[in-house]
Amino acid sequence: MKGDSKLISTTMPIYRRMKSCGVQKQGADKRVISGVLEDELYAMQCEILVDWPSLTIESIQARLKRFTTVKCILAEKVFLRSEGWKIDSQIEGKIKKELGRNGCRHMAALMIDCLRSLARSELANNLRSSMETAPNLDKDRFIENFFKDHPDLKGIAKIR
Amino acid sequence: MILDFQTNSLTTVTQSGPGVWQIELNAGDNLLEVSVFLEIKAPTLDIRKSEIILKRDVLGVIPDMSSAAAKLVGVRVGPGMTKIVRELVGGVEGSNWIADLVLEAMEMLVNAITVPELGKAAEKGGEQIRVSSDGPRIFLNDVVIGPEMIKVLGANPRLKDSCAAFQNIE
């Protein structure tokens, strides 16, 4: 085998944003999603507790750790408005409009990423278990069936 | 305790010359993974180069994005970009997810350009602040390994005394 090494850049970055989301099952009927965002301007995290399968946001904690203005911290409370919301095809727009504009757009983006991770996590878990019994399953049909069973997850999963 | 699914993304903005920025966004999870590269030039902040590389597509749902990437050349960072990018990259023939990532990459250039301005604002009119939220309301640990099982695991010489959890096990 021939080795290969390639230098891409010799310039320092001026800005970097890292985001990470993790999804956990806590029992059969609870999902906890945790998200972290860090860049030159902001550091924030959110934790969301979702009831399954009703897809209701039971609890959320949005924490701003590094921010730019004295008013940014006020956004934390705005995110509590989402407690009781159901995850459906309208949730992304609702988060951007009601929580992003009135609270923090960056936290809203992180929350959307978290909920997308939740939807994709369910899809991935279903796919994994389906492929155990049918390794050559028809993936198009699998996707169709998954979203037939979970229509509210289709919009937020955004798998294409 | 154990994570079921993970998503990661890293966006890097580099200034390669006067008024020329390169933005690279890498995003991925267990199902999909993509790299978006944009080169944007001042003063109009228009995209000069664009590349979309699909690295993972477990479900085979993302179409070829090369023509969508080519169409991005000429699009400007500014008002109206959301609608234009969604039309060029998203929709039935494209990928709405990747359209969102292209928009995120463009937005990160705005953030990068804003950093020095915000720095100046903080220098001129900054206030000292010491605030922090209260403790957690949602706990990530629902179940953790108890003392009896620590003893069992700690019998493994690789784990014994390797950290606080496996020290002083009786």
Side-chain angles (χ1 to χ4, degrees):
Chain A
M1 191 195 280
K2 199 178 160 190
D4 196 11
S5 169
K6 194 176 163 190
L7 178 66
I8 305 289
S9 178
T10 54
T11 316
M12 277 199 273
I14 56 168
Y15 191 85
R16 298 194 115 189
R17 170 169 289 190
M18 180 281 294
K19 287 192 290 181
S20 183
C21 303
V23 184
Q24 289 176 275
K25 272 187 185 175
Q26 291 194 356
D29 60 349
K30 298 287 177 236
R31 305 286 186 271
V32 168
I33 315 117
S34 51
V36 180
L37 180 155
E38 288 256 2
D39 63 23
E40 267 71 10
L41 297 170
Y42 305 99
M44 57 188 72
Q45 62 188 72
C46 72
E47 285 93 40
I48 310 167
L49 175 67
V50 174
D51 182 71
W52 183 269
S54 77
L55 294 174
T56 308
I57 297 173
E58 275 193 5
S59 182
I60 182 166
Q61 186 168 21
R63 286 190 268 182
L64 283 145
K65 293 153 70 184
R66 190 176 58 254
F67 41 86
T68 51
T69 77
V70 285
K71 292 180 79 180
C72 291
I73 196 80
L74 300 174
E76 287 186 350
K77 280 190 179 155
V78 173
F79 282 82
L80 295 173
R81 292 181 195 173
S82 66
E83 291 183 345
W85 287 5
K86 192 177 178 314
I87 299 167
D88 58 18
S89 60
Q90 307 300 311
I91 191 86
E92 188 173 341
K94 205 170 166 184
I95 291 169
K96 281 181 186 166
K97 197 175 169 188
E98 293 191 30
L99 308 180
R101 281 188 205 162
N102 297 312
C104 170
R105 287 188 311 112
H106 308 281
M107 183 69 84
L110 181 63
M111 186 180 172
I112 290 166
D113 279 2
C114 283
L115 297 185
R116 176 156 303 130
S117 295
L118 169 68
R120 288 187 179 183
S121 147
E122 296 299 330
L123 181 69
N125 289 340
N126 269 258
L127 178 67
R128 197 178 291 120
S129 55
S130 299
M131 286 183 78
E132 275 170 18
T133 50
N136 300 315
L137 63 79
D138 179 337
K139 288 180 178 171
D140 289 337
R141 184 166 289 176
F142 165 80
I143 295 167
E144 200 183 312
N145 289 337
F146 178 83
F147 288 122
K148 208 179 276 175
D149 294 340
H150 307 285
D152 287 331
L153 293 180
K154 192 173 183 181
I156 193 74
K158 214 174 256 188
I159 58 158
R160 67 167 290 183
Chain B
M1 181 183 75
I2 293 171
L3 212 54
D4 226 34
F5 189 86
Q6 204 180 15
T7 307
N8 290 296
S9 79
L10 180 65
T11 311
T12 304
V13 182
T14 311
Q15 186 162 13
S16 55
V20 182
W21 295 274
Q22 292 172 332
I23 306 141
E24 192 179 345
L25 182 152
N26 291 289
D29 56 37
N30 301 21
L31 298 171
L32 293 164
E33 194 168 340
V34 71
S35 282
V36 173
F37 171 83
L38 303 174
E39 186 172 287
I40 294 176
K41 197 168 185 314
T44 47
L45 298 183
D46 58 314
I47 296 173
R48 296 293 173 99
K49 286 181 195 165
S50 160
E51 195 177 19
I52 297 168
I53 302 167
L54 192 62
K55 294 177 170 175
R56 187 195 323 279
D57 183 2
V58 172
L59 295 161
V61 284
I62 307 282
D64 176 38
M65 297 303 293
S66 51
S67 67
K71 285 179 199 163
L72 283 170
V73 174
V75 176
R76 291 177 180 185
V77 174
M81 69 182 195
T82 305
K83 192 167 179 261
I84 294 167
V85 171
R86 284 195 179 143
E87 277 172 13
L88 295 176
V89 181
V92 185
E93 303 291 314
S95 163
N96 292 328
W97 176 59
I98 294 175
D100 279 359
L101 296 178
V102 169
L103 286 165
E104 193 171 327
M106 293 165 84
E107 197 195 327
M108 288 312 106
L109 173 65
V110 178
N111 281 14
I113 295 171
T114 314
V115 171
E117 299 307 315
L118 290 170
K120 278 182 213 161
E123 243 175 61
K124 270 189 179 176
E127 280 183 25
Q128 284 224 325
I129 188 168
R130 286 281 179 271
V131 288
S132 174
S133 310
D134 293 329
R137 296 175 70 223
I138 298 165
F139 293 87
L140 301 187
N141 287 312
D142 54 338
V143 178
V144 292
I145 296 164
E148 289 306 312
M149 195 48 72
I150 287 177
K151 272 187 205 167
V152 176
L153 294 171
N156 183 330
R158 284 187 194 167
L159 291 177
K160 191 176 185 299
D161 295 326
S162 64
C163 67
F166 298 108
Q167 280 175 9
N168 306 318
I169 303 170
E170 288 177 19

